[in-house]
Amino acid sequence: RSDWTIKRFSEPSPATSKDDEPVARHAEKKQQPEAAPCSREEENLIAEAKPQAEAVACKPSRENRNGGFSRGLLSLAGVLLGVTYLALVFFLMFLNCNVLAVLSLLFISLLMPGVHHRMVTDLFGVGMKSFVFWAQVVGGLRPIYYGEGVNSLLEKDKKSKLIIGNHLSFVDTFCLISMGHAAGEVQGMRAFTKNAIKWGMPVIGWGAAFVNFIFLRRNFEKDKAMIKVQMKALAANSKFYSSGNFWLVIFPEGTRATPDKLEAAKAFARSRDLPVLRHLLVPRTKGLLTVLGEGESALRESADSVLDVTFGYPCLRGEGPQPKSVLPSMADLFFRLPAKDKLHHVHVHIRTIPLSDVPKDKAGLESWTSAVFQEKDKLLDYYQEHGCFPGEARELKLASWHTLMSNLLILCVSGAAVALFLFAALKALESVAGAAVHYHYNSGEWGSNADKVV
C-alpha cells in the first residue's frame, strides 16, 4: 500500500482496554457511529466483571488443549523460518557490508571516493531494510504516525535532519528505519551509539564502522574531539549518498527507559530541582551540545530541522506496575509465521522544529532540551489516557513480499559477486604459491607446469 491517511476514530469510551487500538480496523471497515459514554454505574460493573472475564478467558478449553500440538508445530516452524532468514541475511551482510567494504576501502576509496561511499552506504542500507521489511511483512509491525512532522517526511526537496526521540525498545530503531524507508532516507541514517557495539555486535557493528556512525565511549572528554571529527566526515561524505542527505539519530536519555531507571531518574530530578518527568528519563545534553553548540557548524550547515519523535507502546498503557520488557519483542517480530490478524502497532508522534530555533549556548540548549522533553511527557500523558496521540493518524508506505524479496535479491547478487571474487583471488594465490614451491624444488628453474600457470 502506498501513502494513505487514516481518519482517527472518536474518543474511546472508558471501557476501552489498553490493548484496543484506535486504528486497528481503519482501512477496510466503515466507521461505526459514536457510542454513548458510559455512566459511572456502568463503569463500576465493567470494572467488576473484567477480572472474572479474564479468569474465564485464561482457562484452556478442550478445543485449545487439543490444538496445543498444532500450535506447537506452527511455533517451531516460525522459529525455524526466522532463524533461517536471519542467518542468510547476516551472511550476506558479512559479504557485502564487511568484506566488500574492506576491499573497497583498500582499492577504490583512494581513486574514486564517491563510488566507495555510495556503494558501502547503499548496501548497508539494503541490509538494514532486510530486517525491518521482515518485521513488517512477517512480524506484523505497523507504525502509526501522528503530527505535522509526517508531512516533512514526504517532501520532495528535503535536507538533512537531526532526530531526537525517547528510547523504550530496540523496536524504536525499526520504527525510525520505517520512517526512513517512507522518506527514501534509509541509506543516510546514522546514529550516536555505544562504542561496544562496533566490536560487540558482529556484522552490523563492523558495517556501521564503515559508514560514519558516531561511536561513544561514555567518557565525554575523550568523545568530544572524536564526535567533531566524525560529524565533519559525515557531513562531507553525505553528498555521495543516494539522497544527498543524512539523518542523525540521538536518544538524549542515553539508555532505554525501564521502570527501575524511571524511578531513579525521578529521584535524581528531585535532588537537582529539575522537572520530574513521569514517562521519560532526564535528558542529557552533552552530545547535543557537541553537534549544535557554538562554533559547531557541520550539522547546522547541512540540516534544516530537528524531528522530535515520541514513541508510544500499547503494552505500557494502564495502571499498575509497568512491564520490564516492551512488546513487541524481537521474538514477536522474527520468530513466527505470517498472520494478518496478529499486528503490532507502535504509535509515533513527529514534530518538526526549525534548526534555527535551537539555541547554541550551553544554558539555552539545556533549557530547550528540557522543554522539548516536558512536551514529550505531556504527549505520553495523552497517549496513556486515549491510546493514541492527538491529531490525525496516518500509516506510511509499508513493505510487501515483493519489496522484501527484491531487497534480498540485491544482497544475494552482490554477495555472490563478492564470493566469486574471493574464490578467484584464492585460486590465484594458490597457483602463485604452487609455482613458487615448484621453482624452489627444481634448483631455481621454472618447471613446465609453473610456466603454464604464470
Side-chain angles (χ1 to χ4, degrees), residues 51-287:
Q52 299 176 4
E54 291 179 345
V56 172
C58 291
K59 293 181 180 179
S61 64
R62 182 179 301 276
E63 181 180 353
N64 289 338
R65 291 196 298 267
N66 293 337
F69 181 72
S70 299
R71 289 197 303 273
L73 288 179
L74 291 176
S75 299
L76 179 60
V79 171
L80 292 176
L81 181 64
V83 169
T84 302
Y85 179 81
L86 289 178
L88 176 61
V89 171
F90 271 101
F91 176 69
L92 293 175
M93 285 193 68
F94 173 73
L95 292 176
N96 289 288
C97 304
N98 298 161
V99 177
L100 182 59
V102 172
L103 295 175
S104 177
L105 182 65
L106 294 175
F107 302 110
I108 299 179
S109 61
L110 295 178
L111 299 177
M112 296 180 288
V115 174
H116 164 72
H117 290 292
R118 178 68 177 268
M119 178 174 60
V120 171
T121 56
D122 280 0
L123 287 174
F124 187 80
V126 170
M128 296 307 296
K129 284 192 291 187
S130 297
F131 297 111
V132 177
F133 287 177
W134 183 270
Q136 290 182 355
V137 176
V138 179
L141 178 64
R142 293 293 184 272
I144 301 170
Y145 301 95
Y146 307 80
E148 46 78 24
V150 179
N151 296 326
S152 65
L153 303 180
L154 308 177
E155 295 175 353
K156 292 184 177 180
D157 298 326
K158 297 186 289 291
K159 294 190 67 175
S160 299
K161 310 286 184 186
L162 173 67
I163 300 177
I164 60 175
N166 60 317
H167 196 18
L168 294 166
S169 166
F170 190 81
V171 180
D172 300 343
T173 306
F174 280 27
C175 293
L176 291 175
I177 296 176
S178 298
M179 287 170 48
H181 170 57
E185 298 285 355
V186 174
Q187 284 79 358
M189 293 188 71
R190 304 294 181 264
F192 277 62
T193 185
K194 303 174 185 177
N195 189 65
I197 291 180
K198 184 190 297 185
W199 309 116
M201 185 180 289
V203 181
I204 295 179
W206 304 341
F210 288 101
V211 293
N212 298 118
F213 272 66
I214 299 178
F215 295 95
L216 305 177
R217 295 176 176 83
R218 300 302 178 112
N219 186 322
F220 182 69
E221 294 304 321
K222 294 182 179 179
D223 288 334
K224 187 175 181 180
M226 183 59 66
I227 291 174
K228 293 181 179 181
V229 171
Q230 292 176 321
M231 191 64 241
K232 291 180 179 179
L234 175 60
N237 295 334
S238 63
K239 63 183 179 182
F240 301 121
Y241 299 167
S242 55
S243 66
N245 304 317
F246 65 86
W247 282 10
L248 181 61
V249 179
I250 301 178
F251 294 114
E253 293 168 292
T255 185
R256 283 175 284 186
T258 62
D260 293 340
K261 293 175 182 177
L262 282 172
E263 292 303 319
K266 292 176 183 178
F268 175 81
R270 294 188 186 98
S271 66
R272 300 293 181 92
D273 292 327
L274 299 174
V276 178
L277 305 175
R278 291 171 294 281
H279 312 289
L280 304 168
L281 305 180
V282 178
R284 307 175 184 182
T285 58
K286 290 183 177 179

Side-chain angles (χ1 to χ4, degrees), residues 12-52:
S13 68
T16 303
S17 67
K18 70 176 184 180
D19 294 325
D20 289 337
E21 292 295 337
V23 291
R25 300 169 297 277
H26 29 275
E28 293 80 6
K29 296 185 180 180
K30 296 182 179 179
Q31 184 173 345
Q32 300 296 326
E34 183 175 354
C38 296
S39 64
R40 184 174 300 276
E41 291 77 14
E42 291 173 330
E43 290 181 7
N44 293 334
L45 288 174
I46 292 171
E48 293 174 1
K50 186 176 179 181
Q52 299 176 4

